Amino acid sequence: MANIFDLFKQIETKREPLAPVTHIVAGLGNPGKEYAETRHNAGFMAVDYLAQKLGVTVNRARFDALTGEAVIGGKRVLLMKPQTFMNRSGQSVRDAAAFYKIPPENVLVLCDDINLDVGRLRIRRKGSDGGQKGLRDVIYQMNADTFPRIRLGVGKVPQGGDVVNWVLGRIPEADRKAFFEVVEKTADAVPLVLAGKIDEAMGKYN
């Protein structure tokens, strides 16, 4: 008669092996309660909303980031929020990509954009950082700019205003509805981008 440990072994052998992680979705921002819901944390908020929509959590500490895993369009995806502060975001993304042997083209970055009005987003297949320092560090650490990105508009700095104070300021009540509509659109666009349908995503959401 088989004992209980033999039964456990049989159950384990019947389990389907998990598919490898092939894609990364990295939302950029700053850790800590004092930065929650600030303009610079648009990427964090987009990842959190996406995770909630997928029924997963992003709370496992790995690669100097909070991470979680999800299946999107049949692909196993690492969701991550680097905890190294915005200007060093690339270190976490680089380490995760190296661990899973993921090419830049399979890394999708979500971040804020002060060149876009609140309520707009911009999807790009590749390109420069456009002045976004977290994106700049990802490009530097990955030694490539060939990864797609979705930039969420947080509004332009008022004339004579300070950029740092603007991006570290909380999203005002008057802008919240438009901003969260962009967060929802970002979550809808992610599956298209991961599926390689970037032109379709750009045409639909840009």
Side-chain angles (χ1 to χ4, degrees), residues 55-164:
V56 301
T57 55
V58 182
N59 59 7
R60 184 183 179 192
R62 300 179 72 199
F63 313 114
D64 285 323
L66 295 178
T67 69
E69 292 182 10
V71 176
I72 303 176
K75 297 176 173 62
R76 190 167 163 222
V77 180
L78 181 76
L79 307 177
M80 63 186 304
K81 299 191 298 181
Q83 301 294 290
T84 50
F85 288 91
M86 177 65 78
N87 294 1
R88 295 183 176 179
S89 299
Q91 298 177 24
S92 294
V93 178
R94 175 202 65 201
D95 290 349
F99 180 83
Y100 290 111
K101 297 180 174 58
I102 294 174
E105 293 77 15
N106 286 6
V107 176
L108 171 59
V109 175
L110 316 179
C111 64
D112 63 290
D113 191 331
I114 61 172
N115 297 308
L116 292 175
D117 293 333
V118 179
R120 294 192 58 201
L121 63 77
R122 180 171 293 152
I123 301 168
R124 288 288 181 268
R125 186 184 303 275
K126 59 181 180 179
S128 68
D129 58 71
Q132 215 285 352
K133 292 184 178 179
L135 199 54
R136 180 178 302 168
D137 195 57
V138 176
I139 292 171
Y140 172 73
Q141 296 290 347
M142 298 281 289
N143 194 29
D145 66 357
T146 53
F147 55 87
R149 68 287 309 263
I150 302 178
R151 303 171 69 134
L152 293 80
V154 295
K156 299 173 183 177
V157 181
Q159 189 171 3
D162 180 77
V163 173
V164 174

